Amino acid sequence: MPTLPSFLTATASRHGARPALIMDDRVLTYAELDASANRVANSLIRHGVRGGDRVALWMPKSLEAIISIWGVLKAGAAFVPVDPAAPVARLATIARDCEIRALVSALDRADDLRQAFGTSAPMRTVLYAGDETNPTPAASWVSQTWDEVEAESAHPPPLHSDDAGLAAVQYTSGSGGTPKGVAISHRTFAGQAEWTVTSLGLSTEDRIPGYTPLSGAMSTFEIFAGVLAGATVYPVPPRLAPFPAAVAKSWSDQRITVIYVVPSVLQMLLNRGNLGALDFSTLRIIVTGGEHLPAQRLGELMRLLPRVRFIISYARTEAKLRTLHEVKFPPEDIDTRTIGKTAAGNRLLVLGEDEKPVADGAIGELWISGPCLMLGYYGLPEMTEEVMRTIQLGRSESVLACRTGDLVRRHAGGRLELIGRADEQIKVRGYRVETAEIESALCRHPAVHAAVVLAVPDPETGNRLKAVVVLKDGSDGGEQTLRNHCAAELPPYMVPETIEFRASLPLMSNGKVDRRRLRES
């Protein structure tokens, strides 16, 4: 299996003059993308980055951000994407957790970085993208502007050949109260990209929008599969992303052919994108996944776009597995919950509490095995062992598998139907959220005695977050105060939209909070 940089090198060699990225009227060909990535790689190497090091990215989506990902990989390092909207305190937590060697950020964030890290930064180098004046030097790291990066040599650095090596650490919400990093290898990303390109028939003629932030798991579709196919990617500018009508019009004007977004984005476009008035005659495939899309809403989209193929995808961050299930019109609820086919070598196992396969018709937990599996949670071997086990399937067959926490029903013939979750994990705008992490953040406020976070179903975003809080005796903490406290530690999608105050929380007989009663009251 090839390493990821070989995808870009090969495509640049075959299709160097073709546009790779187009954003805000800036066009970057594959030859230019490859050369710029080499410059980033050479800059990182010159500043001490070595194979296996971690390099974080904390910046809005831009051509420079995508160039940087390829540059990090060409340097033999692993990229660590951090939500650009996350507070600098969260970046600092992640940076120290995986001991980043370097950081790529926007120039206008230099002051935030100095205040957050001071002289205790784990990184030794910061590359700044932006056209402003040079940042004030920091005592604990070397700064380099993008102009200085672009002055580096475009000669390709030595190509690393370890496809089992670390390519990325992607952080997700953690049930233990802090984010946890999912370590992914080159082999896993490459296998996912190759299967996706083949399954969807992607080619140099395709035009793909890049809507998902680079910290989102879906962004690897446009980054890796797009380059492997030689397609043109149109990253959505952050200023445009919140406005459905503007996004939809841009996709119509760009003659987009393949879209991959979460259902909440599709529902937003359906509600406020004015799709019926736009020309989507070039659009051939919409892939959606990450949360449930009601069949009724999917039917509305199908009627508006009758020539488009609609495909439901299932994926987990811990396993770069992607399943695809094409839905026919008119859709039924069972269709939108079906887990489809995946690449050869990957297996979907439905196991009971005894970790044995369940019978047809029964509900069990979905486990995944095969080359799609993560390397583990970065620096958390005990937590890794909790979710990755050797499963005995017969007297002479055993596989390493990862539990997903998703409950599925196994139907006769092998079809799998997604039922729900076995824990409190939820999805908000396509992001995975552990309510325990938000509860931990709330409880770190000195006025809070106890806190519970609930998911309130929402037809457009999937879920909205509501916190129920008990204050300490004599303490004074208002709703906005606690929201501001959460916003200083958590990304925006994890900040509760409403906070309700109570004198106490209802308990079950075992002493645990009765979440069902809280939802009903």
Side-chain angles (χ1 to χ4, degrees):
M1 185 71 69
T3 57
L4 294 168
S6 67
F7 286 178
L8 178 56
T9 300
T11 300
S13 175
R14 294 194 303 268
H15 308 292
R18 292 191 62 85
L21 301 169
I22 300 178
M23 184 178 185
D24 286 336
D25 296 326
R26 292 176 61 194
V27 180
L28 205 65
T29 66
Y30 271 103
E32 291 167 337
L33 173 59
D34 190 49
S36 290
N38 288 340
R39 293 186 179 101
V40 171
N42 288 325
S43 173
L44 293 171
I45 292 169
R46 188 166 64 82
H47 287 92
V49 172
R50 298 293 180 262
D53 284 346
R54 280 74 56 204
V55 178
L57 289 89
W58 184 56
M59 59 193 301
K61 201 162 198 175
S62 64
L63 298 190
E64 288 78 12
I66 297 172
I67 290 168
S68 296
I69 288 177
W70 286 106
V72 170
L73 293 170
K74 279 175 170 273
F79 68 98
V80 184
V82 181
D83 189 331
V88 69
R90 189 175 183 84
L91 165 69
T93 297
I94 291 172
R96 294 188 174 106
D97 181 67
C98 68
E99 300 175 307
I100 65 170
R101 181 72 175 179
L103 170 68
V104 185
S105 190
L107 194 52
D108 59 6
R109 298 186 171 192
D111 289 341
D112 290 337
L113 293 175
R114 283 195 298 273
Q115 292 173 15
F117 288 101
T119 58
S120 62
M123 65 274 192
R124 294 294 173 263
T125 306
V126 177
L127 309 186
Y128 289 107
D131 299 324
E132 297 87 350
T133 56
N134 290 355
T136 303
S140 57
W141 63 76
V142 175
S143 300
Q144 190 169 25
T145 66
W146 200 255
D147 284 343
E148 292 171 326
V149 172
E150 284 291 292
E152 296 279 355
S153 168
H155 186 75
L159 187 63
H160 292 256
S161 60
D162 183 10
D163 66 346
L166 182 67
V169 182
Q170 296 182 312
Y171 276 80
T172 69
S173 181
S175 58
T178 56
K180 58 181 182 288
V182 179
I184 307 293
S185 71
H186 283 262
R187 179 186 302 162
T188 295
F189 275 128
Q192 180 196 57
E194 290 179 338
W195 184 78
T196 301
V197 168
T198 300
S199 299
L200 299 181
L202 300 182
S203 74
T204 56
E205 301 304 312
D206 277 309
R207 296 176 292 279
I208 301 169
Y211 185 92
T212 307
L214 297 179
S215 57
M218 279 188 178
S219 67
T220 57
F221 168 75
E222 68 198 63
I223 296 172
F224 301 138
V227 164
L228 180 61
T232 301
V233 175
Y234 293 78
V236 175
R239 70 176 189 285
L240 207 67
F243 303 103
V247 170
K249 186 177 186 310
S250 70
W251 290 353
S252 172
D253 293 344
Q254 292 159 354
R255 312 294 286 165
I256 292 300
T257 62
V258 180
I259 293 173
Y260 189 5
V261 291
V262 295
S264 56
V265 172
L266 286 181
Q267 297 204 70
M268 180 181 71
L269 293 171
L270 183 60
N271 293 340
R272 293 175 279 141
N274 197 28
L275 299 180
L278 299 172
D279 178 9
F280 282 102
S281 57
T282 60
L283 182 60
R284 62 186 184 89
I285 297 175
I286 291 180
V287 184
T288 188
E291 57 196 11
H292 178 56
L293 177 61
Q296 178 183 357
R297 303 295 280 165
L298 179 56
E300 293 176 45
L301 278 167
M302 288 178 147
R303 281 187 285 272
L304 277 173
L305 304 168
R307 300 196 306 183
V308 175
R309 294 171 59 198
F310 284 84
I311 296 175
I312 303 295
S313 175
Y314 173 86
R316 295 293 297 174
T317 304
E318 285 85 349
K320 286 302 173 189
L321 169 103
R322 182 170 287 141
T323 73
L324 301 176
H325 170 68
E326 186 166 354
V327 179
K328 303 298 183 182
F329 183 83
E332 298 179 359
D333 188 58
I334 187 66
D335 294 326
T336 62
R337 294 182 180 274
T338 293
I339 297 176
K341 296 179 180 179
T342 187
N346 296 325
R347 297 178 67 175
L348 305 176
L349 311 173
V350 185
L351 308 180
E353 293 184 0
D354 59 357
E355 298 182 5
K356 302 294 183 184
V358 302
D360 287 347
I363 294 176
E365 184 177 352
L366 183 66
W367 292 65
I368 298 171
S369 73
C372 64
L373 292 185
M374 66 175 178
L375 297 173
Y377 293 121
Y378 190 88
L380 299 170
E382 293 181 358
M383 185 175 290
T384 301
E385 290 175 2
E386 290 177 6
V387 300
M388 294 183 74
R389 310 264 185 85
T390 298
I391 302 298
Q392 197 71 33
L393 297 178
R395 291 183 178 179
S396 58
E397 183 184 13
S398 62
V399 295
L400 178 66
C402 180
R403 69 187 320 157
T404 66
D406 288 324
L407 299 177
V408 301
R409 176 180 284 111
R410 180 182 180 84
H411 291 266
R415 184 171 62 83
L416 303 182
E417 176 191 359
L418 185 63
I419 302 297
R421 289 290 302 173
D423 54 24
E424 295 295 326
Q425 187 186 111
I426 59 172
K427 286 293 184 75
V428 178
R429 298 183 179 89
Y431 291 97
R432 195 166 96 182
V433 172
E434 296 278 3
T435 56
E437 186 176 356
I438 308 172
E439 292 164 0
S440 295
L442 282 165
C443 289
R444 285 194 286 272
H445 190 281
V448 174
H449 169 68
V452 172
V453 175
L454 305 172
V456 179
D458 180 86
E460 187 166 290
T461 64
N463 288 289
R464 296 184 183 274
L465 297 174
K466 172 186 175 181
V468 181
V469 171
V470 177
L471 296 176
K472 295 177 181 177
D473 292 342
S475 296
D476 181 20
E479 180 173 357
Q480 192 56 48
T481 298
L482 295 185
R483 281 175 48 81
N484 291 343
H485 168 76
C486 288
E489 296 191 16
L490 304 170
Y493 62 86
M494 292 180 68
V495 176
E497 294 194 24
T498 59
I499 298 178
E500 177 184 329
F501 295 93
R502 295 197 183 188
S504 62
L505 298 174
L507 302 178
M508 298 185 291
S509 58
N510 60 6
K512 295 182 178 180
V513 175
D514 192 335
R515 293 175 181 267
R516 182 182 60 80
R517 284 175 59 191
L518 276 178
R519 292 188 183 97
E520 294 173 350
S521 60

